[in-house]
Amino acid sequence: MSYKFESDAIKAFEQLLKTETDYNVIIHTGKEFNFKEFHAHSNILRCRSEYFNKILSTENIEKKNGKYIIKKPNLVPQAF
């Protein structure tokens, strides 16, 4: 029997997205009627994106209740 680490890891990440367990980043996109809030994990964002790594590394990033808040009002949710 061979062990497929990659498929198990992918399943675990999919489960994190579905349950939104222990997320620590909230991303607001759009404005007013075309607004959406996304939940994410900072460790995954940092590993997968230089852009988010830079944003999450700044000292003046907004935090509320222990969660990073990233606001992108000019980015429509569908594009994000």
Side-chain angles (χ1 to χ4, degrees):
M1 178 169 72
S2 66
Y3 181 71
K4 298 199 184 309
F5 174 78
E6 293 85 7
S7 64
D8 287 347
I10 290 170
K11 287 178 187 175
F13 286 128
E14 287 174 351
Q15 191 62 29
L16 275 176
L17 289 172
K18 288 178 188 173
T19 63
E20 296 189 5
T21 304
D22 296 328
Y23 65 90
N24 65 340
V25 178
I26 299 172
I27 303 169
H28 294 159
T29 60
K31 305 179 208 181
E32 300 172 9
F33 298 106
N34 193 17
F35 171 85
K36 186 164 182 179
E37 180 176 293
F38 294 91
H39 299 159
H41 301 266
S42 62
N43 290 335
I44 294 172
L45 291 175
R46 287 176 188 269
C47 291
R48 302 286 299 163
S49 168
E50 287 183 40
Y51 174 78
F52 281 110
N53 186 41
K54 187 173 182 177
I55 288 175
L56 293 166
S57 297
T58 63
E59 289 183 20
N60 60 347
I61 187 169
E62 181 181 351
K63 283 188 105 173
K64 184 176 183 181
N65 298 324
K67 294 180 174 27
Y68 296 103
I69 308 295
I70 300 172
K71 296 179 181 175
K72 295 294 178 187
N74 296 328
L75 181 62
V76 295
Q78 296 82 359
F80 185 73

